[in-house]
């Protein structure tokens, strides 16, 4: 595992393959078939989740430091995000304590009961940008409701899900309920998503990956939950408080170095305030502090890896070729001590709707801006 701030090796993780996936599926199926977890009293399951929340809360600082190392996200951001995560276990523990079925009306001398039961074995594919956050968001409801899980984390950030497995084991989760296999998507991920023993595939990742995974799951008629890419618009009308809107737009675009699927990376600004807004946004973006992820004052860290850095740089070069105007940023950071890391300047690009960078997700510290004159025009622009 590489530190994107300086390319040093943080740790080494086993590369699991299809055979390891099969072993994990065997373990999950044994537990599901035996009923060890799915038939456990919900109150007993809730206690284990509550215990996991307690243990996790004691480890937030150390896991945040590790997450920052493996993703390059500033420690201040990472710590704030992880402090909320025990709540997911607490919430679903409370929810299953009060879970009830229903008895809908039915014609004739019958009682019609509806009960929710576990699906069985669930496959979960987690990304590198929010490794522990998204792992827990997926895992907590799945195991709370009695399912067994096989998780394949991103090969770029596999450590936190492995630590999560240890925490749950310490909390009393039976062996085989939660299984983590680190490995490459093309090998371990494909074997997991394509297994006929999997009843649901839950993926957070890019849109091209989503198409492949959904097709693999569909061959087995497995259900799918897909959280894929996006390019969320931020629309600023002429009656907005410009300073507040600038601050909000900068946060939306550059949090986590823009590496989030809900990044507000398309700005639509009313023509009457466009010039003022743009000037203030550019000034704001120029003031963003690039730094080492471990520095509490850092506001923008590196992106995750070399190929991602090259993609971001390539999209900026393409934008220039297509006639877009880079208002600030647009280049790799070449000054020390950042030159050996995967740093890219926070970037604002003035575009038209036909430019590729307006339509396609960059997944980096790049936001694009366009002007509009009416609400109808804004709606047309964003599609």
């Amino acid at each position: 595992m590489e530190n994107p701030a300086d390319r040093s090796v943080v740790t080494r993780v086993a590369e699991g393959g299809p055979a390891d996936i099969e072993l994990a599926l065997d373990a999950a199926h044994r537990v599901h078939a035996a009923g060890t977890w799915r038939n456990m009293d919900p109150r007993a399951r809730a206690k284990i989740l509550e215990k996991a929340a307690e243990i996790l809360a004691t480890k937030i600082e150390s896991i945040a430091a590790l997450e920052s190392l493996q993703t390059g996200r500033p420690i201040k951001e990472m710590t704030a995000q992880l402090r909320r995560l025990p709540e997911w276990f607490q919430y679903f523990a409370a929810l299953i304590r009060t879970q009830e079925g229903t008895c809908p009306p039915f014609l004739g001398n019958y009682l019609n009961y509806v009960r929710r039961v576990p699906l069985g074995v669930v496959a979960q594919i987690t990304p590198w940008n929010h490794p522990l956050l998204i792992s827990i968001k997926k895992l907590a409801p799945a195991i709370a409701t009695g399912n067994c899980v096989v998780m394949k984390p991103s090969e770029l950030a596999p450590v936190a899900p492995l630590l999560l497995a240890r925490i749950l084991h310490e909390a009393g989760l039976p062996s085989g309920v939660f299984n983590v296999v680190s490995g490459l998507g093309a090998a371990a991920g494909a074997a997991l998503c394509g297994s006929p023993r999997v009843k649901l595939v839950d993926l957070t990742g890019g849109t091209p990956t989503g198409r492949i995974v959904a097709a693999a799951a569909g061959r087995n008629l497995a259900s799918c939950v897909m959280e894929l890419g996006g390019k969320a618009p931020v629309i600023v009308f002429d009656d907005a408080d410009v300073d507040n809107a600038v601050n909000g737009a900068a946060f939306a675009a550059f949090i986590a170095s823009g590496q989030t699927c809900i990044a507000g990376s398309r700005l639509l600004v009313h023509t009457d305030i466009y010039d003022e807004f743009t000037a203030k946004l550019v000034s704001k973006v120029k003031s963003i502090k690039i730094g080492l992820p471990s520095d509490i004052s850092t506001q923008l860290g590196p992106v995750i890896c070399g190929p991602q850095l090259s993609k971001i740089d390539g999209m900026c070069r393409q934008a220039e070729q297509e006639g877009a105007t880079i208002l600030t940023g647009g280049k790799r950071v070449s000054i020390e001590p950042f030159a050996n890391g995967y740093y890219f300047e926070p970037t604002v690009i003035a575009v038209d709707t036909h430019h590729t960078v307006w339509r396609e997700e960059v997944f980096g510290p790049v936001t694009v801006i366009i002007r509009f004159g009416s609400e109808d025009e804004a709606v047309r622009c964003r599609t």
Side-chain angles (χ1 to χ4, degrees):
M1 189 186 76
E2 188 180 42
N3 180 351
D6 59 13
R7 306 190 193 188
S8 63
V9 176
V10 176
T11 188
R12 299 184 186 277
V13 178
E15 181 182 335
D20 301 287
I21 291 292
E22 287 303 312
L23 289 174
L25 288 170
D26 287 344
H29 269 277
R30 280 197 303 270
V31 175
H32 180 70
T36 309
W37 183 244
R38 62 185 170 93
N39 292 334
M40 184 181 292
D41 188 297
R43 291 167 294 186
R45 292 206 302 266
K47 287 181 179 179
I48 292 173
L49 294 180
E50 289 164 351
K51 182 63 175 178
E54 292 175 11
I55 297 170
L56 177 61
T58 68
K59 300 179 182 294
I60 290 300
E61 301 299 328
S62 61
I63 296 178
L66 181 59
E67 289 270 68
S68 182
L69 269 179
Q70 70 174 352
T71 66
R73 187 168 182 180
I75 187 65
K76 185 176 181 179
E77 289 182 15
M78 189 60 77
T79 302
Q81 182 185 87
L82 266 58
R83 281 178 179 157
R84 299 294 305 273
L85 298 191
E87 296 175 21
W88 287 83
F89 288 129
Q90 293 164 343
Y91 174 78
F92 285 101
L95 207 61
I96 58 174
R97 287 180 184 275
T98 57
Q99 184 181 17
E100 296 179 351
T102 61
C103 190
F106 198 79
L107 292 176
N109 189 25
Y110 299 99
L111 285 176
N112 181 20
Y113 289 100
V114 177
R115 295 179 60 237
R116 295 186 179 275
V117 297
L119 287 169
V121 177
V122 174
Q124 296 181 343
I125 311 295
T126 62
W128 49 260
N129 57 335
H130 307 297
L132 191 61
L133 168 67
I134 293 179
S135 294
I136 289 179
K137 285 175 65 176
K138 293 180 184 301
L139 181 67
I143 61 173
T145 49
N147 296 284
C148 295
V149 172
V150 178
M151 180 178 289
K152 206 294 286 183
S154 168
E155 59 270 22
L156 296 176
V159 177
L162 292 167
L163 294 177
L164 180 59
R166 288 184 181 179
I167 289 170
L168 284 159
H169 180 74
E170 185 180 345
L173 190 73
S175 297
V177 176
F178 178 41
N179 311 270
V180 183
V181 180
S182 56
L184 301 178
L192 178 58
C193 297
S195 172
R197 296 193 283 176
V198 167
K199 300 303 179 184
L200 181 143
V201 178
D202 184 352
L203 164 77
T204 297
T207 301
T209 302
R211 292 192 177 99
I212 295 169
V213 168
R219 285 191 287 271
N220 297 313
L221 298 180
S223 299
C224 287
V225 176
M226 299 279 161
E227 183 188 3
L228 306 177
K231 200 166 182 72
V234 176
I235 304 177
V236 185
F237 287 92
D238 55 345
D239 61 348
D241 181 311
V242 173
D243 290 332
N244 283 344
V246 165
N247 289 336
F251 178 88
F254 300 111
I255 189 75
S257 298
Q259 298 172 117
T260 175
C261 54
I262 57 172
S265 55
R266 290 200 287 183
L267 302 176
L268 297 91
V269 182
H270 194 278
T271 188
D272 289 351
I273 61 169
Y274 178 88
D275 291 338
E276 179 189 5
F277 181 96
T278 301
K280 289 184 173 181
L281 178 66
V282 168
S283 177
K284 177 79 173 181
V285 171
K286 286 181 176 178
S287 75
I288 292 174
K289 182 182 177 182
I290 299 171
L292 297 175
S294 58
D295 186 340
I296 196 69
S297 66
T298 293
Q299 296 174 313
L300 190 84
V303 298
I304 188 68
C305 62
Q308 187 65 22
L309 180 66
S310 296
K311 176 196 171 187
I312 296 164
D313 186 60
M315 291 191 74
C316 287
R317 304 289 74 79
Q318 182 180 9
E320 289 182 308
Q321 293 168 8
E322 292 177 356
T325 302
I326 295 179
L327 303 177
T328 187
K331 304 186 301 296
R332 302 182 185 194
V333 178
S334 57
I335 61 172
E336 296 297 339
F338 312 120
N340 197 44
Y342 303 123
Y343 286 87
F344 198 85
E345 296 175 341
T347 301
V348 181
I349 308 177
V351 298
D352 288 323
T353 55
H354 68 276
H355 293 147
T356 302
V357 74
W358 173 254
R359 302 188 307 272
E360 299 295 328
E361 184 179 42
V362 179
F363 222 67
V366 177
T367 192
V368 294
I369 188 167
I370 199 168
R371 68 172 75 222
F372 71 91
S374 67
E375 185 175 337
D376 289 342
E377 183 183 354
V379 171
R380 289 195 299 272
C381 282
R382 67 170 293 273
T383 55

